[in-house]
Each structure stands twice: as structure tokens, then as C-alpha cells.
Amino acid sequence: MISQTAIGHLREKLGARNVLHEKEDLLVLGYDSTPGVHHLPEVVVYPTTTEQVMEAMGIARREGLPIVPRGSGTGLSGGSVPVKGGMVLCLTRMNRILEIDEENLTATAEAGVITLDLFTATAEKGLFYPPDPGSQKVSTLGGNVAENAGGLRGLKYGVTRDYVMGLKGVLPDLSVISTGGKSVKDVAGYGFKDLLVGSEGTLGIVTEITVKLVPPPKDKRTILAYFSDIRTAGEAVSRIIAAKIIPSTMEIMDRATINCVEDYVRIGLPREMAALLLIEVDGHPAPVAEEAAGVQKILEEVKAAEIHVARNAQHAASLAAARRTALSALARVSPTTLLEDATVPRSRLAETFAEIERLTEKYKLKVGTFGHAGDGNLHPTVLCDERDRDEMERAHAFYNELYEQVLAWGGTVSGEHGIGLAKKEYLARQIGEGGVKVMKRIKQSFDPEGILNPGKIFDDRDPCTKSHVEEGFRVSP
Amino acid sequence: MSLPDKKGNFKSQDAPRYDDVLQCMRCGFCLPTCPTYALTGRERSSPRGRVALARAVAEEKLEFTPAIKEEAFFCLDCRACTTACPSGVRAGEVMEICRSQAQAFYPLSKSGQAFRAFILEKMLPSPEMLEASMLPTRLYQRLGIQWLVRHLKVLKVGPGWMEKAEGMLPRLESPLRPQLPEVVPAKGEQRGRVGFFLGCVMTLMYPGVSRQTVRVLSHQGFEVVTPKQAKCCGAPHLSEGDRQTARQLALFNLDLFLSLEVDYIVTDCAGCGAALKEYEELLEGQAEHEKLTRFRSKIRDISEFLSEAGVRTEGLKPVEASVTYHEPCHLCHAQGISTQPRDLIRQIPGVELRDMKESSWCCGSAATWGLKFSDDSRQVLDRKLKNVKDTDAELLVTANPGCHLQLAWGLREAGMKQEVLHVMELFGKAIPE
């Protein structure tokens, strides 16, 4: 257990309010949104400055405690679950937007800023921060950076990495690192910044982030299409892309998802349809009109059951908001929702849906599928009950077989959620033992003592003997 | 496949249902909507954290510790998390049930218990005793003692809640219950017959509001039956963790109102409305299912009722005022009634409705929460007052007596000019004498 002296030091450096170690606090900071994984930390700290992050890390090092960074805990791969106990470093109280630089089109913010707050603040200045994870109202910018979060606009605008220009943070040797900055071009040495983005808190603790902003699109059209067969929806997506139209958003929901979302939002989604595509095109008015017409033509050609154009911006926003609730709404059906993050080349979408259908039947499961169809990034979600061991095993077999196929098609095991705990085994299958070895060497050079977020992305040696681990239920095999 | 319910370390009576707790998939969508999480930034003071604590107790990973008791009572029970939760988790109700667990695990001292039992089991269930208890307060106000107390700031030396409670008191008139006729006839062509559920705080503190409600109903063509025997809805009991007395009151009111043979049962108190609508769950297994569903199908908040029935606007006189609307938690979150009061306000000629930011964010009143946590309550209230101020509206309209007391007090303290009115008081202004 962490010593009383260390608790005293932490309180002295961070303030008593920012150091928690009662069992009740530890219990509720040992999870994120990933089902089935829950481990107790020994202490939770809320630093409010980069210096305090350094102080807290120094004390953790002296105590031999692993350090696990955390934002709002919306992660879906277990990245912030303290599997080996130790110190949870919660960055939610570092939540200031430090600057919006209209001359350089950048914004600089602390790691704990809520993604939507940054979006809103930049929008007020007539600028646009495109990354938009489904949990944007809750998730933190630091968490987005750590997991390289994607989102609904990923198709046209890319993911968090594409907007990070500079980072400030603390490395495991307690040095404060600044990498990148406001210069648009910067090729000085290795790309540390890009390495840190998506490193899931295993290489350093990011405390400040400078992001690129872009001018907002001048016009936007939202089209909603319903299908009586989900494979047709997949075909529509492939054909839109093949027609060289890149919408900003192309989201899919299957029947199970449509029904759960409708149960929650009650905006009149058609419960009997097999699938829905939510498509947005944006940009300058002339090309937007042309692209929207192109999308509509393809939807008609593949014989979508119904095609609607959003009545107004408010209607479009309510549809996007509804889509954002998909995963949580699916949790209405069953006590446990296991979701995955399978991503395939877009030409394989229709086949992927067919494969999901086949496996659902084979393993006798209830599955809801939604996701970013335009990116080929799908979230097949098994609706099950973790108390039912047999069902859980069938769920694991389902994903196992699905991923085998996805990898055979040249897909990836994670489009946007990260590897964390949930997909460690699949990662090795995707990038091979050699790839994992190089990753481990990179980890080694940043964090030779293995103190930062151990047990994530790949199994590493266990450097921390003083761990207080509560056995949790592991989701993926 | 049905799986067994799990009580774990909960006491068996009135434990949260394990399935309800498991439903939480910890997405965190509740976090930005929770006033206590906004205050503390501490996960255990968030809906997700509180449900996780309840789950840990059910799974025997944790005893029902004092910290859980603390969280159960620190939760405002505003139900904003219920609105926000796509998975349908009702964290507020889980905490409400944990409050009764808290009473079982940590009983009060003998004298404390006696006092609690007197208030909850004797005084609140008896309209006559409640009315008698107000007499000294009215004398206190009439004889000028209140003036003295307030000017000499005597209560500054006492506990904070006492000064606040005194400061919140509106000028009391005599209670409405004995004055209201049992049956008030409909005006014009009769559209139906409704039972009126007169709340305790309404009759005692805001008789003027409910007088207007009955007047509005009658003007709109409804015969109004107000049974004098009606008892407290049980909301204060649920809030204090006394589910047993709440059930007794509920059973009494259930039979009483069903015997009236009215088309609908209407209330103008959001807190009562929410409690009445939840009798179905509270009395599950304790009353006939058919009776419970019939009762549930009849309960309407006044705004909900008028919006369903359609308002007769002919003959209304204009009320020239700019108005902003604060949504009581027990109306918007517990009952899902959000657009109806606004629609009603918009139908009053002359009124200009200015929506405030975060209109459905709690005002910090929350039954006795505002007194128990007076500093926290003040912070929640200040956020609300700022949003009111930004609208620059002349009137602040709401629909629940708890909010009414808190907002009126806050505005007075802040030296703001707005008057607080119930939707029915505003509507009443439009009805010619």
C-alpha cells in the first residue's frame, strides 16, 4: 500500500482536495467505459498544473507506483483502467483553454478540457475544430490525444492526430517535454508528437495541447436514407466513395440500434427498417449541392427504401446527436454491452455486414451494429449479460472469428478506440510479433522502468511488485 | 435466461434492484448534467460514480459505508442524469432507495429518531396538524417579530440553515385547504371533471398559486373536485428515506382519488406530480396492478393537462411582460414535461418568453438539500441567477413550490428585481375577473 508519508507529500504538493485515497473514491476511479474491467488504484490525484503532474509522478516513482493517466473515463478499450493498481492521475481539473490564436489558426488548451467546450469556444471565434468523438460532451482533449480519438467527421476531416500541432507533457524521467508547436511545417528530428498521440498514456503524460483549427464549412446538407437490407447500405457507402464523393459524415445504424436510439430520443426513426445511413456533405455551397445530388442519385440507384433531406440545421443536429447516443442506448437491451472497433477497407463493407450477420446466427447472440460506415469503422456490439458465462464465451468466439476475417481483408482491430486492455492479443495478430517488439523497444526508451500505464497495448514485463490488484473480468480473450 | 437478483451487502428491504444498477455501462453521458459533480469534480459525487458504489455494495465489494450514505443524501435527486442517460439508468432513484438503506444502517439517536418519526409519521400525514403548525409562524410574521429578527440579524449567530430557512419564508396567508370548496363548477361548456391534488407546501405557503390553478381549470371548462381528506403525496418521506410511511400515504391517496370517479387527477406541484406518477413502482406488489395503472393513467401536471386538453384562449386579456422559465427538476427530468409549460406561457397574449441558458439545471432547492448543504446550494443557485439575469426578463416563472421558495429568496438576496410566479399565477392574470 502507498505510505502515509507519500500521501502527506502529495497533499502538500497538490492540496488535500486533489488527493483521494478513500476506498469509495478508488472504487469509482478504477473503471472506464469498457465493460468487465475494473481494478482499484491506491491513490487518485488531480493535478492542476504541469508542475504538479511532475511532482505527483516523482512521488509515485519513489513509491514504486505505476501511474495511470485518466480524463473523464469514456475510453472503450480499458486504457485508463489501473490494472496494476498504483496512482491514477486524473487530469479533469486542468481544464483551461489557454489561447485561441486567430492569426495562426490554433488553439492551446490543457489536457482536461472537454472536447465540446473547445469546439464551442473556437466556433464562437468563427473557427472549426473538426475531431468529434461520439462522447464529445464528456471526453477530454487529453483523452482524445492519448487514444487518437476519431469521430463522426473522421471520413473527410480525419482524426485527432491530424489536428495536433504541439504537445507539452511530462516524461517518465520527469523531464518536461515540448514537441511541435504553432509552426505549420516542422520536420526537426523524429516525430515525437505523432508518437505521443495515440500512445495511450504509455510514453508520457500530456498536459497541454496545441491544435490546428480550420475555417468552418460554409454550407452543409444532411441526408438520411433507410434500407430494408443492411448490405445494400454497405453497397451504397462503397459506391459513394467510388464515385469520388467524400461526405464529412457517413454513419450507419442497424435495426437494433435504430430501435434503442428511438426508445431514447423519440424523434420518429423508423423501427422496421434494417438500416439507416446518416450522410452529411459540407464545404462551399456549389460543390455541396453537386455532391448532395450525387449522393442522392446513388441512393436511388441502389434502391434505398426511403431518402430524406434534413429539414433544417436543427433537424440535422438532432439526427447527429441521436447517432451519438447509439452505444449507450444499446445498453438498454441488456446488462452488458461488448463493443468492438473493427475497421475494414471501405470496399468490403457489404461483406462485413454479411459476416456479422452470419456470426450472429452461428453464435446465437443479440448484436447491434452501428458506426462510421464511411471510414469502414464499425462497432458491432454484442448485447449480453456478464453473469451468463456461456453467453460471454460465445461473444468472445464471435469477435475472434470476426477479427480473423477483418484482418484477412486488410482491416484493423481498432479504428479509433485504441488497444488498451481489450485488444492486446489482436494487435499482435495484426502487426506481428516483430511489430510488437519494436513497440516495446520504443516504450523501453521512454519508460525504462515501465512505470507509465503498464499492461496496456501489449503485455510488458511486470516492474511493479507493489501492486494492489483486484481481479476484474476481462472482456477480450 | 433470468438471473437472480443480488442484494449483497444491502439490507433486504428496499434495496436497489441489481438489474437496474448493472444497466449502467459507464459511458459518462451523465457527468456534464450533474450539479453535484459540477460542484466537486469528484467521480463519486457523479451519477455514474454513485451507481458504481451501489453496484459495489450489491457485489459485496464494499459495505454500506458512511461515504455511501453521504453520497445518497448529497445527490440532489434532480434526475437530470435520468434525462441524459441513453441506457435508461435511473441513478436518482437508486440513490433515493439508498437513503432508506442509510436509515437502516445508521439509525439516529433516540431523540433524533423520535423527532424524525414525529415529523414524518405524525405531522406530515395530517393536514390538520400541518395547518396548526403554521399558526405560530403566521403570528411571528403578523406581530412584527419577523421584522425585528431580520433587522437585528439575530439568526446570524445560529446555524446557517436556520437563517436561510427563515429568510426563505414567504408572507404566509391562511391555508387554502379549508377554504377551497370540495367542488368548483366548470365555467362555460363543461369539458370534463378533474380531481385536484393539493400539495402541502402549496396549501401552506403558496395558497395563492393553487387558488389560481383551480380558477384556471374552472375557466377552461373543468369541474374541479378537491378532496379535503387527501394526504401528503409522500415525496418528503422518500426524500428522507422513509419508504414505509410513503407507502401508507400512497395507498390512502390511491383509494381516495380512484373513488372520486374523475377523468384526470391534476396537480400544480411538480414534486407531488412526480411522486404520484411513481406510486406505480412504489406500491408494486402492495396494491392491485389494475388500480395502479388506472391511477397512473390519470395523473397529470397542470401544464401537461392543459396542453393535452388544448387551451381556450378566447377572452384572455393580455399580460404585457417579458418572462423567463425555470424548469423544475421534478417536472422536466422526473416527468419529462418541458415544452408544455412553455407552450402554455406562449399562449398568454402579450407575454414575451425569453428562454434562459440551462433552464433545466437544478436551482439547488431539492427538498431539504438547500438547507442541509446551504453553501453548495448557494453555488448552484448563483449559476441559475446568472442565467436569469442574462435574459433581463421581468418575471421568473416556474412550477414547483420548492424552486419558488429558493428562487424568490435568491433574487431577494441578490437584490434582483424579478418577481417569481407559478405558471398558473401568470395564466391567472390573463383570466378576467
Side-chain angles (χ1 to χ4, degrees), chain B residues 336-353:
Chain B
I337 297 170
S338 182
T339 51
Q340 297 93 323
R342 289 190 173 90
D343 291 344
L344 206 55
I345 293 169
R346 279 199 201 93
Q347 292 188 64
I348 304 171
V351 165
E352 179 208 349
L353 179 64

Side-chain angles (χ1 to χ4, degrees), chain A residues 14 72 78 128 219 277 330 339 364 385:
Chain A
L14 278 73
S72 297
F128 183 40
D219 195 12
L277 272 184
L330 278 170
L339 109 156
K364 298 187 177 51
D385 190 326

Side-chain angles (χ1 to χ4, degrees), chain B residues 137-383:
Chain B
T137 317
R138 272 160 53 216
L139 280 175
Y140 161 84
Q141 291 183 334
R142 296 285 185 282
L143 297 177
I145 310 171
Q146 181 174 53
W147 185 87
L148 268 178
V149 166
R150 287 188 177 177
H151 281 77
L152 299 176
K153 302 193 182 345
V154 205
L155 292 175
K156 284 267 179 263
V157 296
W161 68 266
M162 206 186 259
E163 191 194 355
K164 183 176 174 188
E166 201 286 329
M168 284 171 87
L169 267 186
R171 175 113 183 135
L172 295 183
E173 297 161 39
S174 48
L176 180 64
R177 190 185 67 102
Q179 302 171 36
L180 211 56
E182 286 256 3
V183 179
V184 173
K187 294 220 168 102
E189 193 192 335
Q190 183 169 333
R191 301 159 78 190
R193 174 176 149 97
V194 300
F196 178 53
F197 187 91
L198 175 60
C200 305
V201 190
M202 283 306 192
T203 174
L204 299 175
M205 307 244 184
Y206 291 114
V209 171
S210 289
R211 192 177 283 124
Q212 289 304 324
T213 304
V214 173
R215 193 167 155 256
V216 169
L217 279 168
S218 155
H219 170 265
Q220 290 291 312
F222 297 95
E223 182 181 45
V224 189
V225 188
T226 313
K228 305 245 161 170
Q229 317 90 292
K231 290 187 193 289
C232 167
C233 64
H237 305 80
L238 294 173
S239 159
E240 291 302 318
D242 179 3
R243 299 181 77 80
Q244 231 155 335
T245 312
R247 282 198 190 94
Q248 286 163 14
L249 294 166
L251 281 168
F252 179 86
N253 287 328
L254 178 77
D255 284 331
L256 174 67
F257 276 89
L258 285 181
S259 74
L260 295 180
E261 311 218 322
V262 288
D263 308 325
Y264 291 98
I265 302 160
V266 177
T267 178
D268 57 8
C269 168
C272 296
L276 296 171
K277 285 179 178 176
E278 285 167 16
Y279 277 5
E280 207 175 351
E281 288 97 49
L282 181 68
L283 294 177
E284 197 186 76
Q286 313 232 344
E288 284 167 50
H289 185 70
E290 181 275 329
K291 266 164 106 179
L292 288 174
T293 46
R294 188 149 50 96
F295 184 78
R296 173 66 187 85
S297 71
K298 285 175 189 277
I299 301 292
R300 296 286 186 281
D301 177 78
I302 181 70
S303 297
E304 182 187 22
F305 177 73
L306 290 175
S307 143
E308 269 175 38
V311 174
R312 287 180 181 166
T313 48
E314 63 274 23
L316 291 182
K317 58 179 189 188
V319 180
E320 300 295 341
S322 53
V323 166
T324 189
Y325 173 62
H326 159 72
E327 307 196 47
C329 299
H330 280 84
L331 203 57
C332 62
H333 300 307
Q335 301 183 56
I337 297 170
S338 182
T339 51
Q340 297 93 323
R342 289 190 173 90
D343 291 344
L344 206 55
I345 293 169
R346 279 199 201 93
Q347 292 188 64
I348 304 171
V351 165
E352 179 208 349
L353 179 64
R354 297 181 187 168
D355 267 326
M356 73 167 90
K357 208 177 131 200
E358 301 177 332
S359 64
S360 64
W361 189 268
C362 182
C363 66
S365 170
T368 54
W369 195 92
L371 296 176
K372 282 182 188 147
F373 304 96
S374 54
D375 291 342
D376 296 312
S377 169
R378 186 67 211 230
Q379 284 185 54
V380 181
L381 175 62
D382 283 346
R383 182 167 172 162

Side-chain angles (χ1 to χ4, degrees), chain A residues 32-51:
Chain A
D32 64 4
S33 288
T34 317
V37 275
H38 190 199
H39 296 268
L40 291 190
E42 290 181 46
V43 65
V44 179
V45 297
Y46 290 86
T48 53
T49 62
T50 303
E51 289 65 38

Side-chain angles (χ1 to χ4, degrees), chain A residues 87-104:
Chain A
M87 172 188 282
V88 163
L89 211 139
C90 192
L91 290 146
T92 49
R93 290 182 188 168
M94 288 185 72
N95 56 4
R96 291 176 305 157
I97 295 172
L98 301 169
E99 185 194 38
I100 295 173
D101 182 342
E102 293 178 75
E103 287 185 358
N104 284 306

Side-chain angles (χ1 to χ4, degrees), chain A residues 24-25 33 72 328 331-332, chain B residues 23 26 42 48 65 86-87:
Chain A
E24 292 81 1
D25 287 304
S33 288
S72 297
S328 313
R332 284 174 174 258
Chain B
Q23 203 70 42
R26 308 189 295 220
R42 197 169 172 172
R48 179 175 69 177
T65 60
S87 320

Side-chain angles (χ1 to χ4, degrees), chain B residues 25-90:
Chain B
M25 48 89 66
R26 308 189 295 220
C27 65
F29 278 31
C30 54
L31 298 179
T33 68
C34 176
T36 54
Y37 181 69
L39 282 172
T40 65
R42 197 169 172 172
E43 179 81 8
R44 76 177 215 198
S45 305
S46 75
R48 179 175 69 177
R50 288 175 175 137
V51 170
L53 288 178
R55 178 171 173 170
V57 176
E59 292 175 350
E60 296 177 33
K61 288 179 179 159
L62 192 66
E63 296 296 322
F64 193 96
T65 60
I68 301 183
K69 176 189 166 179
E70 212 178 280
E71 282 310 330
F73 283 97
F74 188 46
C75 167
L76 288 146
D77 200 13
C78 71
R79 314 279 175 100
C81 50
T82 303
T83 302
C85 181
S87 320
V89 177
R90 302 199 286 187

Side-chain angles (χ1 to χ4, degrees), chain A residues 6-22 25 43-48 52 93, chain B residues 40 42:
Chain A
I7 298 270
H9 284 151
L10 285 169
R11 292 189 148 166
E12 200 179 299
K13 298 291 183 193
L14 278 73
R17 186 179 164 264
N18 294 324
V19 181
L20 305 177
H21 61 101
E22 286 173 35
D25 287 304
V43 65
V44 179
V45 297
Y46 290 86
T48 53
Q52 286 188 355
R93 290 182 188 168
Chain B
T40 65
R42 197 169 172 172

